[in-house]
Amino acid sequence: IKNHSSSTSPFILLGLSSNPQLQKPLFAIFLFMYLVTVVGNVFIILAIHSDSRLHTPMYFFLSNLSFMDICFTTVIVPKMLRNLLSDTKAISYVGCLVQMYFFMALANTDSYLLASMAIDRLVAICNPLHYDVAMSPRRCLLMLLGSCTISHLHALFRVLLMSRLSFCASHVIKHFFCDTQPVLKLSCSDTSSSQIVVMTETLAVIVTPFLCILFSYLRIIITVLRIPSAAGKWKAFSTCGSHLTVVVLFYGSVIYVYFRPLSMYSVVKDRIATVMYTVVTPMLNPFIYSLRNKDMKRGLRKLKDKIHL
């Protein structure tokens, strides 16, 4: 890694707000949200593993999505909480790259798991007779391993690219964690080629699962509209409602943040959008999947009974 000597100096994370009076209220809010995220997703995982009727491909992917959400928020929120109560708000150069790596790896794994869940719904609704063969445990495991491998390779490539940049002047990151766009803004190197590579590679890695989800739901809609009874249509659509809600929340904010040129980067707007998919969506996932899903409600009740025993 070839950098100027100042490039390895610590970065300063400005956080969500520089107002001293907001630090403790923000700490309380995000600590509560983080605890709800961890507890909610742990309950989802335990409910799925404790109920044999939930040992299906859909819930296999959901339990892994919940695990990734716990890891995903843990990469960002604890450091943010610490900085809210700290005067320095520093993160080392290596620490910044490590946070960036795990953030990207886990976020992309999330997106590929959402795509895997869309494929599961596609097969279940459009080709139910071949569901057991198409979504066998071996294939589900391969889909999970493929999701993790592609995501970690993508993250490694991006971090290696970022490590080649020089940071000669300001080391103040106008964000609450080390994300690509705010760090690129600080570089005194020519970042035009990096931006092109980042945009191209991001399109390939992030758009692929998104297009997969889009194609799956177009096929599902066409199939469901052919069902003669209204009750049949509602039953088919209801199995996709929770997943579709999470997809809209996750991809809506991700597309807003990352699919724009660096010149259009807005600190305040991007912070709000980033909070949506890094903190809010992982927190809401357990509620979305449990409140609108009879099987999950039954699994959670069964888990509650076991805990009381």
Side-chain angles (χ1 to χ4, degrees), residues 33 37 41 65 69 72-73 110 114 243 245-254 273-289:
M33 292 173 78
T37 301
N41 282 291
L65 181 71
D69 281 345
F72 182 45
T73 51
D110 256 18
L114 289 171
H243 178 256
T245 305
V246 172
V247 167
V248 170
L249 283 170
F250 182 82
Y251 273 101
S253 49
V254 166
T274 307
V275 165
M276 276 299 297
Y277 75 88
T278 58
V279 183
V280 177
T281 303
M283 182 187 72
L284 292 179
N285 281 0
F287 297 102
I288 293 168
Y289 280 106

Side-chain angles (χ1 to χ4, degrees), residues 115-218:
S116 299
M117 292 169 81
I119 292 168
D120 173 77
R121 291 298 83 208
L122 171 67
V123 178
I125 293 170
C126 301
N127 201 359
L129 296 176
H130 295 90
Y131 181 77
D132 290 337
V133 176
M135 300 302 294
S136 65
R138 183 175 175 274
R139 285 189 181 178
C140 290
L141 184 61
L142 287 173
M143 287 168 78
L144 174 63
L145 292 174
S147 300
C148 294
T149 303
I150 292 168
S151 301
H152 281 272
L153 287 174
H154 163 73
L156 181 62
F157 175 74
R158 288 281 286 274
V159 167
L160 288 174
L161 195 69
M162 297 296 289
S163 70
R164 296 177 65 84
L165 300 176
S166 299
F167 303 93
C168 317
S170 174
H171 279 66
V172 178
I173 299 173
K174 295 178 180 178
H175 215 322
F176 57 90
F177 73 101
C178 289
D179 200 3
T180 311
Q181 298 286 56
V183 173
L184 272 174
K185 275 275 189 182
L186 299 180
S187 178
C188 55
S189 305
D190 179 14
T191 61
S192 56
S193 58
S194 296
Q195 285 182 60
I196 293 167
V197 172
V198 164
M199 284 292 286
T200 306
E201 201 254 348
T202 299
L203 279 168
V205 174
I206 296 180
V207 171
T208 300
F210 179 70
L211 289 176
C212 181
I213 293 167
L214 203 62
F215 171 76
S216 297
Y217 274 103
L218 284 173

